[in-house]
Amino acid sequence: MADGKVLNVRGREVLDSRGNPTVEAEITTSFGVISAIAPSGASTGTHEVLELRDGGKRYGGKGVQKAVQNVNKLIAPKLKGMDVTDLRAIDQVMIELDGTKTKERLGGNAMVAVSLAAARAGAAANGLELHEHLVPGSKLLPMPMMNIINGGKHAGTGLKIQEFMIVPVGATKFSDALRMGAEVYQTLRTILKESFGPAAINVGDEGGFAPPFDDTRQALDAIVKAIVKAGYEPGKEVSLALDCAASEFCDQGVYSIDKRRVGPQDLMDYYSALVRDYPLVSIEDPVDEEAFDLMALMTLRMGRKVQIIGDDMFVTNVERIRKAISKKAGNCTLLKVNQIGTVSESMDAAKLSFEAGYRVVVSHRSGETEDTSIADLAVALGCGQIKTGAPARAERTAKYNRLLRIEEMLGKKAAFPGADFYKPKKS
Ligand code: 2PG
Ligand code: MG
């Protein structure tokens, strides 16, 4: 009878959605050959694990041949013969083999590709869908946060805030939420084209539009207009969310935003006014990645009304999350598997967050691929939220489409969070 022993592991250099090389890992068992691909960020947190790049001339220094060699020569011999259904054991072997906090020996990109491939191969060996293999009985589809205007490091606009997202809070199932988001996206396209010309509908890294705006309110106003024109009530049916990625516009405690330079106190007032004037439900990385105390102040001031997410600050790292929890900084963790390097460690980060009453949002990276594992991870964790870009561009829609399929497969069992999905759980 066939068993789930790892027969072979091999790496390969492939391209991501920005055209940069990334690592694909392939695991062979008697159930077949299953692969997964590492994503890659642009606005990366300083404390993320290391993405191993070759340097030199090839691909402008961005090649990943060393990471691929690490998969073939260092990781593969250790994993051969292991039970592919025991993901935690596989991740642990890689963590010990690497032996560094920053995963700099093997490379976070090598490890994450293998970990995701092992999760997928384990599911195949067990004859289960990935989400079910990760967490048996999981059935909660996530509310999608769709990024429809791109700024910051993800586009060439003057917008300092990186992501302007819509959240169809009025939807009662995932497929309706996705449709509502797609309708608003297409309506925004028409509005931008009519008001600012054809160049305004060029898109950024995550498939959102990149119009010639340099003021946050210009972007928010255009989106609210699109929500209304698409036939929805802002705040009731479709709300807004931001990822500020504030470390990118902070220099020694001074934040440069909307052509102004503001200190921490003024920044709080700035966000307060946005929360007052727009139907915002969630704000990610509003402050610099090291500004835990300011994050705590923001949470105290606005955390009851909006979800305050730590991404570059938390980096899916239990030590950083523990620090945030102890300071009451933020009330939600952004979960990116490649920030920490393995699926098991990211599940630990989610567990710690939930235990402290923090919410969790599973997230893509700005450099993505056809890999859909994070869609299953969001369902597995039952976190009720995902952000994976615009409802456009194949590397983004791959995840949303996978969720459509999961919803269909679950049938009547499929659950979906209500409009209060983002309200911090009472601890
Ligand atoms: C973020 C991500 C994904 P990047 O900041 O949340 O949207 O961007 O992958 O560039 O870090
Ligand atoms: Mg972010």
Side-chain angles (χ1 to χ4, degrees):
M1 210 187 93
D3 66 17
K5 275 207 174 63
V6 176
L7 301 174
N8 199 14
V9 183
R10 56 180 292 233
R12 175 182 298 119
E13 190 178 52
V14 296
L15 293 184
D16 73 14
S17 57
R18 270 193 285 254
N20 291 325
T22 187
V23 183
E24 177 172 52
E26 220 171 60
I27 296 192
T28 306
T29 69
S30 56
F31 293 89
V33 183
I34 305 274
S35 62
I37 315 178
S40 174
S43 64
T44 47
T46 311
H47 301 278
E48 293 190 20
V49 297
L50 182 92
E51 202 173 56
L52 195 58
R53 301 271 179 198
D54 298 334
K57 261 195 154 164
R58 249 183 113 252
Y59 282 122
K62 292 197 165 130
V64 292
Q65 286 184 326
K66 278 185 203 153
V68 165
Q69 280 309 304
N70 288 348
V71 174
N72 295 340
K73 300 262 157 61
L74 301 177
I75 298 175
K78 293 271 180 202
L79 299 194
K80 274 186 205 167
M82 285 187 77
D83 176 2
V84 79
T85 63
D86 191 350
L87 181 59
R88 202 159 271 278
I90 287 178
D91 286 346
Q92 197 51 41
V93 164
M94 287 196 286
I95 291 165
E96 278 164 26
L97 179 63
D98 174 81
T100 70
K101 269 199 168 179
T102 46
K103 315 246 162 61
E104 58 192 70
R105 177 160 180 239
L106 298 176
N109 42 354
M111 288 176 70
V112 82
V114 174
S115 181
L116 288 168
R120 302 184 73 86
N126 276 338
L128 294 171
E129 294 300 322
L130 176 56
H131 68 92
E132 257 200 314
H133 170 58
L134 292 173
V135 178
S138 52
K139 58 180 191 328
L140 186 68
L141 272 292
M143 178 69 79
M145 296 183 168
M146 290 166 274
N147 180 6
I148 62 173
I149 290 187
N150 292 185
K153 269 200 170 172
H154 294 169
T157 73
L159 293 167
K160 289 299 176 78
I161 287 186
Q162 178 179 282
E163 298 167 28
F164 295 81
M165 292 170 277
I166 46 171
V167 194
V169 294
T172 53
K173 57 181 188 187
F174 175 79
S175 44
D176 282 347
L178 185 62
R179 174 182 50 76
M180 290 162 75
E183 288 168 4
V184 174
Y185 178 79
Q186 297 300 346
T187 310
L188 178 64
R189 189 174 194 276
T190 309
I191 290 175
L192 291 175
K193 196 171 177 186
E194 280 171 8
S195 313
F196 305 99
I201 57 166
N202 291 344
V203 297
D205 282 352
E206 298 189 348
F209 301 112
F213 294 165
D214 55 10
D215 188 281
T216 300
R217 283 174 184 253
Q218 254 181 313
L220 291 171
D221 288 339
I223 295 176
V224 170
K225 210 166 152 190
I227 294 170
V228 173
K229 200 164 173 222
Y232 296 110
E233 195 178 328
K236 195 118 205 264
E237 293 174 296
V238 182
S239 294
L240 306 177
L242 298 174
D243 178 4
C244 308
S247 296
E248 304 294 336
F249 56 85
C250 176
D251 186 19
Q252 294 177 12
V254 179
Y255 296 82
S256 302
I257 188 158
D258 294 350
K259 289 169 270 163
R260 288 165 54 203
R261 286 163 55 78
V262 299
Q265 290 303 331
D266 287 340
L267 186 71
M268 292 299 103
D269 293 342
Y270 172 84
Y271 288 129
S272 245
L274 289 183
V275 170
R276 180 194 66 212
D277 297 342
Y278 295 95
L280 284 162
V281 292
S282 180
I283 304 182
E284 179 182 329
D285 280 352
V287 302
D288 182 72
E289 64 192 356
E290 302 299 350
F292 282 86
D293 292 334
L294 189 59
M295 186 76 157
L297 183 64
M298 172 99 183
T299 311
L300 187 67
R301 271 183 70 169
M302 282 159 258
R304 278 176 182 277
K305 208 168 166 208
V306 292
Q307 174 168 269
I308 310 286
I309 308 180
D311 169 19
D312 293 344
M313 178 177 279
F314 294 11
V315 290
T316 318
N317 178 319
V318 290
E319 282 174 28
R320 307 258 318 166
I321 298 170
R322 214 169 273 133
K323 179 170 173 186
I325 291 167
S326 73
K327 288 179 171 277
K328 296 194 166 63
N331 53 31
C332 179
T333 296
L334 197 79
L335 190 135
K336 292 166 167 169
V337 184
N338 82 324
Q339 276 182 331
I340 192 66
T342 64
V343 176
S344 308
E345 287 166 290
S346 38
M347 291 180 84
D348 291 344
K351 187 163 174 271
L352 174 67
S353 305
F354 289 141
E355 280 166 4
Y358 277 43
R359 291 285 171 134
V360 171
V361 178
V362 169
S363 171
H364 66 157
R365 299 308 306 244
S366 50
E368 265 297 335
T369 70
E370 62 271 34
D371 192 293
T372 61
S373 309
I374 60 162
D376 283 75
L377 184 60
V379 177
L381 292 173
C383 62
Q385 305 181 58
I386 192 168
K387 72 161 195 173
T388 184
R393 306 285 139 186
E395 77 280 8
R396 314 294 151 189
T397 54
K399 282 70 162 173
Y400 294 129
N401 290 343
R402 168 69 185 156
L403 287 165
L404 287 176
R405 292 182 200 111
I406 295 176
E407 181 180 74
E408 198 179 289
M409 279 185 284
L410 286 169
K412 285 210 174 89
K413 276 192 286 176
F416 189 67
D420 64 349
F421 72 97
Y422 64 93
K423 299 253 166 73
K425 271 192 202 153
K426 285 190 189 75
S427 49

